[in-house]
Amino acid sequence: MPKKRTAVSVTSDRPSSVRADALVLAARSVDGVAELVQTDTLPRAVSKAVSEALQVWGAEGWADETVRLTDVDKVAAPLVLVIGTGPDFPRKGVNGPDEAERMRRAAGVAARALAGRDRAVFALGAPELAEAVGEGALLGSYAFQEFFGAGKSTKAKAPLAEVVLAGLKPGSAQSRALGRRLEVVSGAVAYARDLVNTPANALYPESFADSVSRRSTKQVAVQVWDPERLEAEGCGGLLGVGQGSGRGPRLVTMSYRPKKARASLAFVGKGITFDSGGLCLKPATGMVTMKCDMGGAAAVAAAVQAIADLELPVAVTGYLCLAENMTGDLAQRPGDVVTMRGGRTVEIINTDAEGRLVMADGLALASEQRPDAIVDIATLTGACMVALGNRTFGVMGNDETILERVLAGAGRAGESAWALPLVEELRSSMDSPVADLKHTGERAGGAMLAATFLAEFVGKNGDGEVLPWAHLDIAGPAFNEGSARGHTPKGGTGAGVRTLIEVARSFAS
Ligand code: BES
Ligand code: MN
Ligand code: ZN
C-alpha cells in the first residue's frame, strides 16, 4: 500500500483568512514569557487576541510548548496552535538551535499534533524561514508504517494531509522549486528512517541492497557486490565481519554522474544491519537498539538519490558497507588477521569494533576513484556518545576545508555537529606484532581512535596527496530512544541525510 504523504502548498493570502483545520503560529521565550512571533501578514487584531490568550494561559514559550486556542476572533480556522520555540541562542554561554531550526522544530511539533487532519496553515515567522518551516512540518509528519511487511497491524493515523505555507506567492517558479526541494529532502529523510526502523529480521544486507536498487531512478547507477565478488575484490573487512552470519555481506555502490559536474564526492556509510557484537558479544541491554547500526548507510543511500533528484551539478558515489555482525560458527575471532581492500593486514582484537573494518574497505574503494573529497558516516562508537551526547554527531578528518563544509552544512540543516581532533599519539596504540595494525587500541578517546584507524585507509590523489576526508560519527543522533520532539520522531531519525545533501550543495556553486 502506498504511503500517504503530506502535500505542500503556499499562499500569499492573510493566513488568518485561509480556510483550514488549524492556523499554526510560533512564540519565542523572552525572560520566561511567551511572545508571539509576529508575521507581516497576520492582522493586528488577531495577534493581539492570541497574545492575550497566551498571557491568560501563562505560556512560557519553551521549545515544544503547545497552546491550543479555539474560535479566535477573525481567524477562519477553528483551531489556532501556538508552538513555543524557546529562547534565542547562544544563551548563558550555551549553544542551541538557530532561528531557522527553532522554526523547523516548532513546525514539526505542530505537524505531529495535527496528524489525521486535512489542512493547516503555517505562519511561524518571516517568509525567508518558510522553507525551514515546511521542512519541519514534513519531517514531523513522518510515521513508521510498515516496510517489508514489518510493522504494526493496527493502522497509524494518517499524517496531516496538507501543509500551507504562508507568505509565499503561489504558482511562481520559486515556490514550485521550493515545493520540489521539500518533497525530495523530506522523502529522503523518511526513507533513511524507514530503513533504520525496519527490524533486522526484515532488513539484512541483501534486502537492504534490493531496496536501494528498487528505489533508485535511472540517474543513479546501482551495483551490488555479493560475497563471491567481495572475495574476488579483496574486501576482507566486509567479509570478515559478515562471515558469522548466514546472511552474507554486500557492498552497494550508487553512482550519480551529471553532465556538468563541478566536483566529485564519495560518501561511505556503515551498514551493519544488526550488531550483536560478534563473539565479543554485547550485553543484552546494549543490543536492543542495534538494528540502528546501519544508520550511516541509510543516510548515504537516501542522500545520493536526493542529490540526483535535485539535479545538483556534483558527481556523487555512495558506498554502502553492509554486513550483519553475528556469532555463527564461522564468525571472526579475536586474534584473526584479515587482509583488507588494498592489501593491508589487520589483527582483530574486539569483534564488536566491526564498523571500522567494513568502513576501511569502503574508504579504500572510494579512494581508488580519486574523488575531490570523501565523507563517511557511521554509528561508529559508544565513545562518541559519551563525548557529545545523543543529539550531536562528531566530525573528524584530515582536511580543514572539508571539515568546514561539513560543519557549515550541518548548521544550515539544523543538525548539531561538533569537531573532535585527530591526535598523533593515538596511532601507536594500534601497532600489532602480527599484522600491519590492529583495529582497537587506547580506550580513552575512543571516537578519535576509531577515526585514526579509518584515516589509514584514505588513499591519495594523482599528485600523491592524501584525499580530503571527513568522518561523521552519528552513534548518538541516529536513533532516538526517548519520545518524539520537534521534528524528530522516536526511533530512526535520519541523522546526517540533510547534512550530506548540504555538503553536496556546497560543491554545486
Ligand atoms: N555499533 C557500535 C557503536 C554504537 C553504540 C552505536 C551505541 C550506537 C549506539 C559499535 O560497533 C561498537 O560496538 N563500538 C564499540 C567499540 C569498542 C569495542 C572498541 C564501542 O563503542 O563500545
Ligand atoms: Mn559493534
Ligand atoms: Zn556497530
Side-chain angles (χ1 to χ4, degrees):
M1 198 188 70
K3 277 179 204 172
K4 289 206 186 77
R5 287 182 63 170
T6 304
V8 185
S9 61
V10 305
T11 182
S12 49
D13 295 348
R14 271 188 315 211
S16 51
S17 54
V18 174
R19 301 221 163 269
D21 297 306
L23 167 65
V24 183
L25 304 172
R28 58 167 61 89
S29 185
V30 181
D31 300 326
V33 177
E35 185 181 277
L36 182 68
V37 176
Q38 190 57 46
T39 63
D40 299 343
T41 47
L42 202 64
R44 210 159 270 269
V46 173
S47 77
K48 188 158 171 276
V50 171
S51 296
E52 277 167 14
L54 289 177
Q55 202 174 12
V56 172
W57 276 104
E60 297 178 319
W62 298 115
D64 289 29
E65 182 185 61
T66 305
V67 175
R68 293 171 165 83
L69 308 172
T70 52
D71 299 317
V72 177
D73 204 25
K74 300 209 162 57
V75 175
L79 176 64
V80 175
L81 291 190
V82 190
I83 313 292
T85 64
D88 290 327
F89 287 99
R91 176 170 171 270
K92 297 181 180 163
V94 174
N95 289 319
D98 66 9
E99 188 167 25
E101 175 59 10
R102 285 160 63 198
M103 293 305 168
R104 225 183 250 113
R105 291 180 188 182
V109 172
R112 282 193 285 110
L114 293 167
R117 313 282 181 127
D118 284 333
R119 194 161 195 253
V121 195
F122 286 69
L124 277 74
E128 302 86 75
L129 296 173
E131 182 154 6
V133 169
E135 194 169 282
L138 295 186
L139 294 176
S141 293
Y142 171 85
F144 180 62
Q145 289 170 5
E146 61 92 13
F147 212 60
F148 298 151
K152 289 194 192 231
S153 48
T154 51
K155 268 220 197 97
K157 245 190 214 173
L160 169 63
E162 186 184 355
V163 169
V164 185
L165 300 173
L168 298 175
K169 242 207 175 72
S172 64
Q174 214 179 350
S175 69
R176 270 197 304 276
L178 177 133
R180 175 69 183 147
R181 283 200 299 274
L182 290 176
E183 178 191 16
V184 169
V185 171
S186 65
V189 174
Y191 179 58
R193 289 172 176 176
D194 277 348
L195 288 169
V196 170
N197 287 330
T198 302
N201 61 337
L203 192 83
Y204 42 91
E206 184 183 16
S207 62
F208 193 142
D210 287 347
S211 168
V212 170
S213 302
R214 256 184 285 120
R215 188 173 180 271
S216 65
T217 60
K218 71 172 193 305
Q219 283 72 35
V220 177
V222 176
Q223 216 186 47
V224 181
W225 286 0
D226 64 7
E228 208 176 299
R229 181 74 188 266
L230 289 168
E231 187 78 56
E233 299 284 353
C235 294
L238 272 157
L239 285 166
V241 171
Q243 73 195 30
S245 168
R247 290 169 162 164
R250 296 288 186 280
L251 179 97
V252 178
T253 41
M254 305 172 68
S255 155
Y256 164 59
R257 314 223 147 269
K259 283 215 177 64
K260 289 194 183 123
R262 303 228 169 91
S264 64
L265 294 178
F267 292 162
V268 184
K270 171 177 172 182
I272 300 297
T273 55
F274 187 73
D275 183 10
S276 72
L279 289 178
C280 306
L281 199 64
K282 285 186 183 293
T285 47
M287 217 188 280
V288 181
T289 59
M290 280 302 125
K291 67 173 181 181
C292 82
D293 211 18
M294 30 55 70
V300 170
V304 173
Q305 183 61 55
I307 290 160
D309 291 343
L310 295 168
E311 299 176 34
L312 297 183
V314 180
V316 184
T317 305
Y319 299 81
L320 316 180
C321 307
L322 309 179
E324 187 180 39
N325 190 23
M326 297 292 275
T327 59
D329 60 348
L330 294 176
Q332 172 164 268
R333 293 147 292 245
D336 284 3
V337 174
V338 297
T339 305
M340 316 293 278
R341 175 79 180 188
R344 234 121 42 97
T345 58
V346 174
E347 181 187 5
I348 304 304
I349 303 298
N350 185 327
T351 61
D352 198 12
E354 83 297 338
R356 62 198 74 179
L357 298 171
V358 301
M359 294 297 281
D361 281 345
L363 288 167
L365 281 164
S367 301
E368 291 167 18
Q369 303 304 315
R370 296 178 176 171
D372 295 322
I374 302 176
V375 179
D376 85 65
I377 177 162
T379 48
L380 205 62
T381 67
C384 201
M385 304 165 74
V386 173
L388 296 175
N390 287 332
R391 299 187 190 183
T392 301
F393 59 78
V395 183
M396 290 147 269
N398 62 6
D399 175 84
E400 285 305 320
T401 312
I402 187 67
L403 288 172
E404 196 36 59
R405 282 184 196 267
V406 169
L407 291 167
R412 287 192 301 278
E415 296 198 277
S416 180
W418 202 261
L420 296 173
L422 289 190
V423 290
E424 171 274 329
E425 64 269 23
L426 287 173
R427 175 60 186 83
S428 60
S429 72
M430 288 185 288
D431 287 346
S432 161
V434 295
D436 294 333
L437 75 168
K438 41 186 197 169
H439 70 140
T440 62
E442 177 76 45
R443 222 173 86 84
M448 290 140 60
L449 181 101
T452 303
F453 178 84
L454 295 183
E456 293 284 319
F457 297 88
V458 176
K460 294 179 174 158
N461 68 15
D463 303 327
E465 295 157 342
V466 179
L467 293 162
W469 157 73
H471 159 63
L472 280 52
D473 191 334
I474 59 165
F479 199 79
N480 175 21
E481 288 189 63
S483 36
R485 61 185 139 80
H487 51 71
T488 306
K490 200 174 169 61
T493 60
V497 173
R498 289 177 303 116
T499 295
L500 292 179
I501 296 172
E502 286 301 327
V503 169
R505 233 196 266 286
S506 79
F507 281 92
S509 48

